[in-house]
Amino acid sequence: MLRQNESYAQNACSDSRSGRQKLYALYVGEISKFNPVKDTMSWKLADIGDWSYHGVNHSIKGNGGPDCVNFLSPQRRIIETIIACTIGVYSLYWGFKRFTLPPVPKVVREDRGGKRLLLVLMCLVFGIEIGFKFSSRTVIYILNPCHVITTIQIFLLAAPPTSKTVTALFRIHMHCLYGAILAILFPVLNTRKRCLELETYWIQHFLILITPFYLLRTGVGGVYTVEALNDMSWAALTQGLLFLYHFLILQGLGMVTQVNLNNIICPAVSDPFSGPNYRIWAMFHQSALTLLIGKIYTKLSLIVLQALGTIEWTGEKYVAMAALRVQQLCSMCKAQITRKAIKKDGDTHTD
């Protein structure tokens, strides 16, 4: 009996020892497979994908998914991309060779509070929109042009009006306003189901159209100036940037994530040119709208501002009335100083 117990104990010890050895070998094997850089990168990419585009509902028409990606053949996409990028690069080259920027003015009109109020309102509305995107796990839609224009306008409202960069961004974004007009005329609202999402959509796009008018009102003669109506260089620059942004960045991300960013992968449900040639049509009407809407918006804004007495046409350019008053005051001061100097010289000669 004692020998039998000893044999049982020896078997148990050997089984336990072999089990520990197997467990140790398994542990060592797993440790050898662990790559902290690779595993961390894969975790980060998976995490980014979860909150950026995994919430996109592909069952909604025009939202994305395999059917949207396969709407056009790969050969068709490649040919259209080559054509669009060629037009975009040439437009950038043509506009870059011809554009000019005015010098930064020395006299800057002080803001009375309206600019800061508009900045707070824009930040509030855009912040709510970003919150909706995070809650629905569709942050990738922030790359749509209207959100990019909102970001530019927030910068224009917040940046000190003492830089040529502000003028350049202002002129470029003036030719992007057609996007907000199209979003109002042909809205895509089938994905907005949450409370206040529809209201935020309308408020944001109307603010995009209001902000340039206010900046023109306060900035004519300053950094918020526009080019002459016969100057096409800024429209060409904007067209080149938009073409490259859509066909390289938005299309690339859209094909990888299967998300229809700004309808570059498949047509929107409200697109009147929906069909296999919808992107060809878009190249024509987007080019025309980039030029026409920018110029028409500028001309109408200047007419309204002139009717309100905010600006005045001098025969060569529009001048803000505030700056004109400053110039008049300066000329009056110079005249008074000159008269005093002449009078002083006369008194000196008399003595």
Side-chain angles (χ1 to χ4, degrees):
M1 190 67 166
L2 183 59
R3 291 179 179 176
Q4 193 174 13
N5 290 336
E6 288 178 356
S7 64
Y8 285 152
Q10 289 175 358
N11 292 334
C13 290
S14 62
D15 292 341
S16 177
R17 197 177 297 114
S18 62
R20 285 197 300 268
Q21 290 174 352
K22 290 178 180 179
L23 184 62
Y24 177 75
L26 181 63
Y27 175 75
V28 171
E30 291 297 325
I31 288 294
S32 63
K33 294 178 183 178
F34 177 67
N35 187 339
V37 177
K38 183 179 178 180
D39 290 351
T40 304
M41 287 293 293
S42 61
W43 176 81
K44 286 183 178 179
L45 290 175
D47 189 52
I48 292 173
D50 182 63
W51 54 259
S52 62
Y53 64 89
H54 282 177
V56 177
N57 188 356
H58 292 164
S59 64
I60 299 176
K61 187 177 179 181
N63 222 23
D67 292 339
C68 186
V69 171
N70 296 324
F71 184 81
L72 297 175
S73 66
Q75 294 81 2
R76 180 72 178 265
R77 289 191 186 279
I78 292 172
I79 293 172
E80 291 179 355
T81 301
I82 293 173
I83 294 172
C85 290
T86 302
I87 296 173
V89 171
Y90 178 76
S91 299
L92 277 177
Y93 173 76
W94 191 90
F96 189 78
K97 285 188 65 177
R98 290 166 174 80
F99 86 94
T100 56
L101 277 171
V104 177
K106 296 180 180 179
V107 179
V108 179
R109 180 181 177 183
E110 294 184 0
D111 179 56
R112 298 177 180 177
K115 188 177 176 183
R116 281 170 287 177
L117 178 63
L118 190 58
L119 174 62
V120 171
L121 186 58
M122 289 284 287
C123 290
L124 179 62
V125 172
F126 193 47
I128 293 172
E129 184 66 22
I130 292 175
F132 284 136
K133 296 293 185 285
F134 271 103
S135 65
S136 60
R137 297 185 300 159
T138 57
V139 182
I140 195 171
Y141 283 130
I142 294 296
L143 296 175
N144 278 343
C146 281
H147 297 313
V148 176
I149 295 302
T150 299
T151 305
I152 293 174
Q153 289 184 344
I154 290 173
F155 171 79
L156 293 174
L157 290 167
T162 56
S163 171
K164 290 185 178 182
T165 303
V166 176
T167 304
L169 281 175
F170 180 75
R171 292 184 175 187
I172 288 173
H173 111 284
M174 287 291 290
H175 293 284
C176 299
L177 298 179
Y178 72 91
I181 296 176
L182 292 180
I184 292 171
L185 296 177
F186 306 100
V188 180
L189 306 174
N190 56 349
T191 60
R192 294 180 174 263
K193 307 295 183 181
R194 290 173 174 78
C195 178
L196 296 179
E197 266 196 300
L198 287 176
E199 290 79 3
T200 304
Y201 175 90
W202 294 113
I203 293 172
Q204 180 185 0
H205 287 93
F206 277 109
L207 281 175
I208 289 175
L209 298 177
I210 293 171
T211 301
F213 178 81
Y214 182 83
L215 291 176
L216 273 174
R217 176 182 175 273
T218 60
V220 171
V223 291
Y224 306 113
T225 60
V226 290
E227 71 277 12
L229 291 176
N230 60 355
D231 184 356
M232 305 301 171
S233 60
W234 290 98
L237 275 172
T238 306
Q239 176 183 321
L241 290 172
L242 287 174
F243 272 39
L244 294 177
Y245 182 70
H246 277 81
F247 282 88
L248 293 181
I249 297 177
L250 294 186
Q251 181 175 228
L253 287 173
M255 294 298 290
V256 172
T257 60
Q258 295 190 351
V259 178
N260 190 22
L261 292 171
N262 206 45
N263 308 308
I264 192 65
I265 307 299
C266 61
V269 292
S270 58
D271 191 346
F273 298 95
S274 180
N277 298 319
Y278 86 101
R279 301 207 306 183
I280 300 294
W281 286 109
M283 291 183 199
F284 286 103
H285 63 67
Q286 298 297 299
S287 299
L289 290 174
T290 301
L291 174 63
L292 292 176
I293 297 299
K295 297 298 184 182
I296 292 172
Y297 184 96
T298 299
K299 185 61 178 178
L300 290 177
S301 298
L302 293 176
I303 291 173
V304 172
L305 290 173
Q306 190 173 9
L308 294 174
T310 305
I311 62 175
E312 188 66 36
W313 176 252
T314 62
E316 296 180 356
K317 62 180 181 178
Y318 285 98
V319 179
M321 292 301 295
L324 198 60
R325 294 190 192 99
V326 171
Q327 292 176 0
Q328 292 172 353
L329 288 172
C330 290
S331 60
M332 290 172 61
C333 293
K334 288 180 180 178
Q336 290 179 1
I337 292 172
T338 304
R339 282 197 298 268
K340 287 180 180 180
I342 294 172
K343 184 178 180 181
K344 187 176 180 179
D345 291 339
D347 294 340
T348 303
H349 289 307
T350 304
D351 294 338

